Amino acid sequence: MAPRGSGLDWRGCALATPPGWDWPSAGCPPARPLDMASQLRLRSALALVTGAGSGIGRAVSVRLAKEGATVAACDLDRAAACETVWLLGGQGSEKVAPGGAHTAFQADVSEAGAVRRLLEQVQACFSRPPSVVVSCAGLTRDEFLLRMSEDDWDRVIAVNLKGIFLVTQAAAQALVSSGCRGSIINISSIVGKVGNVGQTNYAASKAGVIGLTQTAARELGRHGIRCNSVLPGFITTPMTQKVPQKVLDKVIGMIPMGHLGDPEGGLFM
Ligand SMILES: CCCCCCCCCCCCCC(=O)CC(=O)SCCNC(=O)CCNC(=O)[C@H](O)C(C)(C)COP(=O)(O)OP(=O)(O)OC[C@H]1O[C@@H](n2cnc3c(N)ncnc32)[C@H](O)[C@@H]1OP(=O)(O)O
Ligand SMILES: NC(=O)C1=CN([C@@H]2O[C@H](COP(=O)(O)OP(=O)(O)OC[C@H]3O[C@@H](n4cnc5c(N)ncnc54)[C@H](O)[C@@H]3O)[C@@H](O)[C@H]2O)C=CC1
């Protein structure tokens, strides 16, 4: 039994808390269930989202929850993952998530042991593997090729490419061993197809995600597991806040709509 105030529930799963919630004295935060989508297309689904603490991963989590899925929101930043789950309704969200309460998890997707433990924890919490897996965790370390450090290369490849390898493999192993069907969605980037100045590391990682996902699709289809990658363009998130304004101005000048996409509309509209 996790100690009271530890931020963990009876199963040892991370509880969702509002930002700055004071556990020891305040007890469970009030649920804030989202408006239920009329059709709840994903009412029986358990969805694992990595990078769920920000930007596209948070928007994907919100949309999956609105469609009725139970969301296991994972991020390197535990507090950010908890904030996402609180947005989804946190404890008591069973009312809108028939498959159980949305729950936050912390893991560094670039570490094999952490990913293995993540899938173990998710299955321990929900007694089943996630049938939907969306890998959004990612980062940039932009620099011109002539000046890029080995560390900048290594870290971006480790998180953006190896991280998706580890999560895709662990999720597929869990689904195959339990005889469950599933859908794995890996977030690449248009940069993986056309390249981008200052992003040899990032472009290579995203191109790798495309090839990894296409191959996984060929191998896992026989097990009833679909694998697809999504290649967004510029979306307004903390990741793109780091781009120099003069570069953003250049890019926006090339976008027919004349503005960057937003996480809510960028993937689904
Ligand atoms: C404008 C043409 C774009 C066509 C390509 C279409 C694909 C691009 C769409 C990408 C959408 C998906 C994005 C995504 O997946 C999420 C992200 O990766 S967000 C981060 C994207 N990162 C970048 O675009 C890199 C931005 N550049 C930088 O961060 C810095 O420039 C850099 C760290 C590389 C170097 O900094 P510094 O040494 O200070 O040089 P400057 O910033 O002064 O730049 C010198 C010079 O080069 C021009 N420049 C830099 N980056 C780009 C770029 N990405 N595209 C075009 N031009 C770029 C910059 O404007 C300067 O030009 P001057 O004329 O000399 O002022
Ligand atoms: N914002 C954009 O313009 C585009 C983003 N993408 C991709 O979409 C995905 C999400 O990006 P954004 O939401 O924009 O970024 P973001 O920076 O807002 O969110 C990324 C999240 O991933 C988490 N994360 C980073 N490293 C991690 C690790 N090792 N383990 C677990 N979590 C980790 C961060 O804590 C953060 O919460 C990324 O893979 C990115 O490459 C693709 C195309 C365009």
Side-chain angles (χ1 to χ4, degrees):
M1 173 71 79
R4 178 170 173 69
S6 63
L8 301 175
D9 68 10
W10 61 273
R11 300 166 294 187
C13 298
L15 286 169
T17 54
W21 189 261
D22 172 24
W23 265 109
S25 56
C28 294
R32 279 187 50 208
L34 292 160
D35 305 329
M36 280 171 50
S38 55
Q39 64 270 43
L40 290 184
R41 289 182 298 175
L42 296 176
R43 63 178 297 110
S44 63
L46 172 61
L48 170 61
V49 181
T50 72
S54 176
I56 292 173
R58 177 167 286 179
V60 167
S61 300
V62 169
R63 183 59 183 267
L64 289 170
K66 281 186 175 177
E67 300 282 0
T70 292
V71 176
C74 169
D75 203 285
L76 180 68
D77 181 340
R78 177 190 293 277
C82 287
E83 198 169 332
T84 293
V85 170
W86 184 73
L87 288 170
L88 304 182
Q91 289 307 305
S93 60
E94 293 86 335
K95 290 189 286 297
V96 291
H102 309 303
T103 305
F105 298 85
Q106 191 278 339
D108 178 346
V109 297
S110 70
E111 292 178 5
V115 173
R116 185 172 57 250
R117 285 189 297 275
L118 170 66
L119 268 293
E120 287 168 356
Q121 288 167 3
V122 169
Q123 294 177 88
C125 272
F126 298 102
S127 306
R128 56 186 166 134
S131 57
V132 175
V133 179
V134 189
S135 277
C136 301
L139 82 170
T140 60
R141 292 269 191 90
D142 296 341
E143 186 48 280
F144 292 119
L145 173 62
L146 294 177
R147 301 194 310 227
M148 185 173 288
S149 70
E150 185 179 354
D151 181 58
D152 283 343
W153 172 271
D154 288 346
R155 187 62 186 155
V156 168
I157 297 294
V159 175
N160 294 5
L161 182 54
K162 183 181 172 187
I164 282 192
F165 158 70
L166 292 171
V167 173
T168 301
Q169 182 185 56
Q173 287 169 337
L175 287 165
V176 170
S177 58
S178 55
C180 297
R181 305 168 67 85
S183 177
I184 297 172
I185 299 105
N186 293 326
I187 306 298
S188 174
S189 166
I190 189 65
V191 170
K193 277 182 79 80
V194 301
N196 188 30
V197 172
Q199 294 201 294
T200 45
N201 51 358
Y202 184 85
S205 74
K206 293 304 185 176
V209 169
I210 297 168
L212 181 159
T213 307
Q214 289 171 321
T215 302
R218 294 177 184 277
E219 292 185 18
L220 299 176
R222 63 175 57 91
H223 299 287
I225 300 169
R226 292 181 291 120
C227 299
N228 290 280
S229 51
V230 175
L231 284 65
F234 260 115
I235 307 293
T236 302
T237 71
M239 179 178 278
T240 46
Q241 303 308 305
K242 296 184 285 187
V243 177
Q245 189 55 48
K246 59 184 173 181
V247 176
L248 284 178
D249 293 343
K250 280 186 186 178
V251 174
I252 289 169
M254 295 174 59
I255 299 173
M257 294 293 284
H259 61 79
L260 303 189
D262 63 76
E264 292 71 25
L267 289 180
F268 293 100
M269 309 306 275

